[in-house]
Amino acid sequence: KGVVAYPDDIDFFVGLGDAMMGIKAYMNATQSYVAALTLAEHLLDSEKIDNMKMLAGRALYRNGSEDAGVQLFMSVLQKNEEHVLALHGYGEALRDKGKIEEATKVYLKLLILEPQNKEVKENLANMLKHEVAMSLLMEHLKGESSAPAFAFIATTVKDYGAVDESIFLFKKAMELNPDSASYCLNLVHTLEVKGDYKEGFNLIKQFCRNNRRQAVGHYISCSQMLELIEPVDNLDKYKDSLWLDRTPSIENQAKHDFEVEEQIPITPDPSLRQYTTEELDLLALFATIVKLAYASGALDIIAKIIHVIEPARAGRQLHLTSIRNEMAYYSCITMLMRTQTKPLINYRPLYVIGDSHSLSPAWRTIHFRGEKRLLYPLLVTGLKIWHLRDESLFFPKN
C-alpha cells in the first residue's frame, strides 16, 4: 500500500524489499530494490545509488543470479573498499564458495567498520572455526599491543557459539598481558561454559602467582588469596577427598557447620574511595573462586575465602557495578554456606541442571524413592529453554 500511495518514496520500496528478503522472496525483493535504484538514479544521489545496487545485488545473488550479484558488489568496491553493504555481499559470496581466508579478511574489516553488527559477529565466529581463518588472524595480530584485539574478538565470537575459539583467543590475550585480571576473568568464565572448573581454578592460581602485589584496595591481595588456594593442587581431587563414603558410623556422626561468618552490611559509605576498574575485575576474580569451589563441591576452602573477601564489600554497592553478576553469585553462595553442614557424605547423586537457582539445593541430601540422594548441581549460566532452538547460537547452548 505504501509504494502505491507514495510511488516516488525510496524508503517504501526499500522497506518492501527488506520484508521480501525476510521471507526469502528474493525475486520480489529484487524488483523492489530495482525500483528504489531507479528512483535514486533520478535523484542523482550517488551514495543512494550504490546502496540500492548492493541491496539489489544481494537479492539477485540469493535468487540464484550469483555472478550478477558479485559483479554489482565488485563494481562498488572498486570505488570504495570500505562500502559496508558491498562487503557484506562479497563476504557472503566468498563464504559460500569456500574461500575461507578471503571471507575472513572481509569479516575482520567489517568488524572494525560495524563492531556491533550481529551478522558480522556471527559470520566471523563461523569463519574462525576453520583452522585457516585462525592462522590468518594469528599472522595479523602480533606483539603485546594485540592483546586487546584478541580479547575483543574472543568476546565477540563467544556469544555466537565459538566457545573453543574464544578460549584460545583469551589465552593469547593473557600470554601477551598476563597481569590483566579482566582477561583472566573472561577466560575463566568461558571455561565455565565448558564445565572446566578445574582449569579455571588453576588459571586464577597462576594469575595470583604472577601478580602477587595486585590488590583490591588495602583489603586483599593476590598474595593473600594464593595462601588460601595454593594447597589445592587439583580441584576435583580435593573435592573427592572431602566426601566420605556412606557407612553407619559416618551417618550417625554429629553434624557441624562450616563456620561461615555473617555477611557484612553493605550500607553505602560515601567516604570510601571508589574501586578502579582493575580492582573491580580482581575482586570479581576472587569471588569467582568461591563460585568454582561451590559448583565443584570443594566446600571446605570457601569459609576462609569469604572471611578475607567480606571486608572488601563493606560499605559498597557492588551490585551497581560492572561485577554485579560475580558478586550476586558470591552473596548467594555465602548465604548457602551458612546452612551447609559436614561431614559430607557421598550418596548417589541426583543431578539438578539449571541457572544460578541450581546452586540453592546443591550438596543437600533428600530421600527419593526410598533412598538418600545427594543433590549435585550442573550449573549452566544463562540457561534458557529458547537457547536450545535450532537457529540459536548463543553460548549457553554449548
Side-chain angles (χ1 to χ4, degrees):
K1 289 186 176 181
V3 298
V4 171
Y6 303 96
D8 296 326
D9 192 316
I10 291 177
D11 291 338
F12 273 110
F13 283 99
V14 171
L16 179 59
D18 291 346
M20 291 299 179
M21 289 288 282
I23 61 171
K24 300 182 179 181
Y26 299 127
M27 178 59 74
N28 291 334
T30 301
Q31 294 170 352
S32 296
Y33 290 141
V34 169
L37 173 59
T38 302
L39 290 172
E41 289 173 339
H42 288 159
L43 295 173
L44 300 178
D45 187 328
S46 60
E47 182 179 352
K48 283 191 175 180
I49 289 172
D50 285 346
N51 288 342
M52 295 309 106
K53 283 183 178 179
M54 293 307 92
L55 293 174
R58 292 194 85 178
L60 279 169
Y61 179 85
R62 293 186 183 182
N63 194 51
S65 300
E66 297 178 0
D67 291 341
V70 171
Q71 286 177 7
L72 283 172
F73 304 148
M74 295 305 299
S75 69
V76 171
L77 286 173
Q78 286 170 0
K79 295 186 295 182
N80 179 4
E81 293 181 353
E82 295 188 347
H83 193 285
V84 169
L85 292 176
L87 287 170
H88 275 284
Y90 189 49
E92 181 178 341
L94 291 170
R95 180 198 66 198
D96 292 348
K97 292 181 181 300
K99 297 183 177 181
I100 302 303
E101 186 172 351
E102 293 90 337
T104 302
K105 291 177 181 178
V106 170
Y107 289 122
L108 285 171
K109 180 179 286 190
L110 279 169
L111 186 65
I112 295 171
L113 297 172
E114 292 188 305
Q116 302 306 319
N117 187 295
K118 293 181 179 179
E119 183 181 347
V120 172
K121 293 178 180 180
E122 179 181 337
N123 280 313
L124 182 59
N126 288 330
M127 291 299 101
L128 290 180
K129 292 177 181 179
H130 298 272
E131 186 177 345
V132 64
M134 190 63 80
S135 297
L136 174 70
L137 187 63
M138 295 302 103
E139 290 176 11
H140 280 73
L141 298 179
K142 294 180 180 179
E144 187 175 344
S145 61
S146 298
F150 277 122
F152 173 68
I153 296 173
T155 303
T156 297
V157 301
K158 172 187 172 183
D159 286 345
Y160 292 86
V163 176
D164 289 331
E165 293 71 22
S166 178
I167 290 171
F168 176 80
L169 293 169
F170 273 128
K171 286 182 177 180
K172 286 294 181 183
M174 279 206 70
E175 287 175 11
L176 296 171
N177 191 356
D179 61 349
S180 172
S182 174
Y183 296 165
C184 186
L185 180 65
N186 279 282
L187 175 53
V188 171
H189 285 332
T190 310
L191 287 165
E192 288 179 59
V193 177
K194 303 278 289 183
D196 199 342
Y197 301 141
K198 180 175 70 174
E199 185 177 354
F201 187 85
N202 290 338
L203 273 167
I204 298 175
K205 278 204 301 182
Q206 188 60 51
F207 178 86
C208 289
R209 290 191 198 107
N210 294 339
N211 301 280
R212 293 172 184 268
R213 297 182 65 179
Q214 282 198 35
V216 181
H218 63 275
Y219 300 104
I220 178 173
S221 67
C222 283
S223 180
Q224 291 171 292
M225 182 57 70
L226 190 60
E227 290 181 13
L228 300 177
I229 63 176
E230 186 74 277
V232 182
D233 293 328
N234 182 308
L235 193 62
D236 293 338
K237 290 182 179 179
Y238 182 82
K239 180 261 292 185
D240 292 341
S241 71
L242 298 175
W243 296 94
L244 303 178
D245 291 333
R246 179 183 180 184
T247 64
S249 61
I250 292 295
E251 289 190 304
N252 292 329
Q253 279 187 23
K255 296 289 186 179
H256 303 282
D257 61 34
F258 282 87
E259 299 180 358
V260 175
E261 60 195 58
E262 292 291 323
Q263 284 188 302
I264 295 174
I266 57 171
T267 305
D269 183 349
S271 68
L272 293 175
R273 173 184 66 82
Q274 295 295 311
Y275 287 142
T276 65
T277 300
E278 292 74 17
E279 287 174 314
L280 286 173
D281 288 335
L282 185 58
L283 182 56
L285 199 59
F286 293 158
T288 300
I289 298 172
V290 172
K291 178 185 177 184
L292 298 177
Y294 194 82
S296 300
L299 308 186
D300 213 39
I301 64 173
I302 295 176
K304 293 178 181 178
I305 298 174
I306 290 173
H307 178 74
V308 297
I309 289 179
E310 279 299 284
R313 294 178 63 249
R316 301 176 187 277
Q317 293 186 304
L318 296 172
H319 60 288
L320 300 179
T321 70
S322 59
I323 65 168
R324 56 189 174 275
N325 289 341
E326 288 86 358
M327 299 317 297
Y329 270 107
Y330 168 84
S331 296
C332 171
I333 293 168
T334 300
M335 288 185 283
L336 291 171
M337 282 295 296
R338 291 206 299 271
T339 60
Q340 285 283 10
T341 58
K342 52 185 177 181
L344 307 168
I345 301 176
N346 199 15
Y347 294 112
R348 193 159 69 96
L350 185 62
Y351 295 99
V352 181
I353 304 174
D355 207 327
S356 56
H357 54 268
S358 66
L359 296 182
S360 299
W363 315 121
R364 318 278 169 163
T365 302
I366 65 169
H367 283 83
F368 181 65
R369 296 180 178 174
E371 179 186 2
K372 283 188 176 181
R373 301 287 290 273
L374 179 68
L375 294 175
Y376 197 114
L378 294 178
L379 172 64
V380 183
T381 300
L383 176 67
K384 302 290 184 292
I385 190 65
W386 54 85
H387 292 328
L388 299 181
R389 294 171 299 156
D390 288 342
E391 62 268 30
S392 174
L393 298 170
F394 195 38
F395 68 83
K397 185 176 181 178
N398 287 60

